[in-house]
Amino acid sequence: MPPVIDPEMVAALEDARTKPHTHHPTQGTRELIGTLSTMFRIVRNACQGNRSLIRTTSEKPRQLLKFDAPCNHILEILGFELINDTEFRPPDLGLPASDALPAGSPQSSSSSLMLRRLERARDELCVLTGRIQRKLRDVERNEAFVYRVATPELAALLGAKDYPKRPGASSLLMASASSMNTDSDSNTSKRQTVDDAYRRLGVPEDAADSLVVWSYSRLAEEDESVDPLTGALAQQRFDALVAIAGMRTSEELDSLVANERERGMTSTMQIRTACKALFGDSGYEVAAIDDDTVREMARTQIAEASTTKVKIEMAEHLRVLALAKHSEPLVNYAAVLVSELEAREASSEPAADALGHMKLQLDTWEQLPVGLNNIGNTCYLNSILQFIYSLTPIREA
């Protein structure tokens, strides 16, 4: 179905508003938006049966519409009648008051067709205004003209509203500018991160926790990348899950995050925090740093830490980077560090003595073999051999 307002009419109107402002294109854009948005309101009122005359001599309408040839042409196409070059009369959509015509009568059908045509024109003007205003800065845009007129109806027809929702949550099928209207850059960035998280998992913001969990699991099942468990896509999914869980109070989501971390997943924020703590810069590319460098930097930071609590934090940062690097030896090394430090803190052993004892054990641990290569159904035998070899009397016998 062709549009009610021909694109050539829109192009002529755009030229009329922007060409006089070639050196200040933004001003021309503002004037075009002023004309389109005013037309939208006039047509919207006409759809509601408002037949108030639009005087071409009135200051405000003339300032916004200008009533030049392109503007008048569009109004006349939409059924507005120009009277004596001084006023436009909206189309009459009402039925004659003298009799009650049946629904299928010619006059009734004509009014109905005219109304539907005006409603289409109203929606076209809304979309046109929204499209043009994207040329302006965010703060200058009018939220009333975001492309959302048909969203509720389309969502209902497509079944997009039929999903489990959080109790008391409002429907937010699409992020709006008002939802991100905050007073600080950090709040805006946080809002954008959460919006991106919902889009990443493909769920609306008012989705129930169970739906978020289901979507996360389903995306993981359908991941056909080289490394669906810990690769780049898995990292993006986990970041999205962490962001959503951080905005809710949900045992279900917190449990899933904990399970994923137990499996070895780390969030990008954790990785950046660990890099900042150990290397002084959150922008390090972890994959490019070898294990020995990471281990030595962690040892240095632990040795320089003033309290056992800080030492444990540094060891935890090491564990995060080890998981991010998918390095099993480094993960085991970090686990020993954390375990030893926590044990020393519990026993109230002086920090210096604890660190010396820990280094001695770690040096011994590093000499232990990783184990035997699995040649098929030998994992239990392998674990027994590793356990026996870890016993100092047997190893040194």
Side-chain angles (χ1 to χ4, degrees), residues 88-353:
F88 274 98
R89 177 182 295 163
D92 183 6
L93 302 179
L95 294 175
S98 57
D99 53 357
L101 298 175
S105 67
Q107 285 182 305
S108 175
S109 301
S110 175
S111 296
S112 178
L113 288 173
M114 186 178 295
L115 175 59
R116 287 200 295 268
R117 189 169 181 273
L118 271 181
E119 288 174 341
R120 284 175 50 207
R122 174 201 62 195
D123 293 345
E124 289 175 14
L125 286 167
C126 181
V127 171
L128 284 170
T129 306
R131 187 194 65 181
I132 298 298
Q133 77 171 0
R134 291 194 304 184
K135 299 178 182 180
L136 300 178
R137 295 178 302 165
D138 291 347
V139 294
E140 294 186 74
R141 298 177 185 176
N142 188 335
E143 177 64 15
F145 299 104
V146 172
Y147 300 173
R148 63 164 187 250
V149 171
T151 297
E153 292 79 4
L154 287 175
L157 288 172
L158 297 173
K161 291 185 176 181
D162 300 330
Y163 57 86
K165 298 178 177 63
R166 282 193 296 157
S170 60
S171 178
L172 293 173
L173 293 177
M174 297 176 65
S176 64
S178 60
S179 68
M180 292 188 289
N181 185 18
T182 53
D183 296 331
S184 69
D185 292 340
S186 62
N187 287 338
T188 300
S189 176
K190 186 176 182 179
R191 175 72 248 181
Q192 188 62 49
T193 298
V194 175
D195 288 343
D196 291 342
Y198 282 109
R199 282 192 287 269
R200 174 68 60 184
L201 296 188
V203 294
E205 193 168 342
D206 62 341
D209 297 338
S210 59
L211 182 56
V212 176
V213 171
W214 177 87
S215 181
Y216 180 86
S217 303
R218 186 61 181 268
L219 288 172
E221 292 173 3
E222 296 178 352
D223 189 346
E224 297 180 354
S225 61
V226 177
D227 186 1
L229 295 180
T230 57
L233 292 179
Q235 181 70 62
Q236 293 171 2
R237 287 194 301 272
F238 186 64
D239 285 342
L241 177 65
V242 170
I244 295 173
M247 294 294 291
R248 301 186 179 193
T249 303
S250 168
E251 292 184 4
E252 190 172 7
L253 294 182
D254 291 343
S255 176
L256 179 57
V257 170
N259 289 341
E260 290 295 272
R261 282 181 172 152
E262 185 70 22
R263 187 173 65 81
M265 291 300 300
T266 54
S267 67
T268 299
M269 184 58 67
Q270 281 183 297
I271 296 171
R272 289 175 180 171
T273 302
C275 286
K276 179 69 174 178
L278 296 183
F279 304 113
D281 187 349
S282 61
Y284 269 92
E285 185 65 37
V286 178
I289 310 174
D290 62 84
D291 288 7
D292 289 339
T293 300
V294 175
R295 182 166 49 243
E296 290 307 314
M297 288 298 295
R299 277 184 169 179
T300 301
Q301 294 293 342
I302 290 172
E304 295 177 354
S306 57
T307 65
T308 305
K309 181 179 179 181
V310 177
K311 294 179 187 294
I312 293 175
E313 290 176 359
M314 292 300 169
E316 288 288 357
H317 290 317
L318 172 62
R319 186 184 67 84
V320 168
L321 295 185
L323 291 171
K325 288 175 63 61
H326 311 305
S327 170
E328 187 174 350
L330 201 56
V331 169
N332 294 334
Y333 181 86
V336 173
L337 271 174
V338 173
S339 177
E340 282 293 324
L341 286 167
E342 289 178 343
R344 298 304 166 186
E345 184 181 39
S347 65
S348 301
E349 182 177 342
D353 294 342

Side-chain angles (χ1 to χ4, degrees), residues 339-386:
S339 177
E340 282 293 324
L341 286 167
E342 289 178 343
R344 298 304 166 186
E345 184 181 39
S347 65
S348 301
E349 182 177 342
D353 294 342
L355 185 60
H357 179 73
M358 178 186 63
K359 284 183 176 180
L360 177 62
Q361 287 202 345
L362 286 173
D363 290 339
T364 302
W365 175 84
E366 286 183 306
Q367 299 173 10
L368 301 180
V370 175
L372 304 176
N373 291 327
N374 190 3
I375 57 175
N377 298 326
T378 60
C379 54
Y380 290 109
L381 174 61
N382 190 10
S383 63
I384 292 173
L385 289 175
Q386 290 183 65

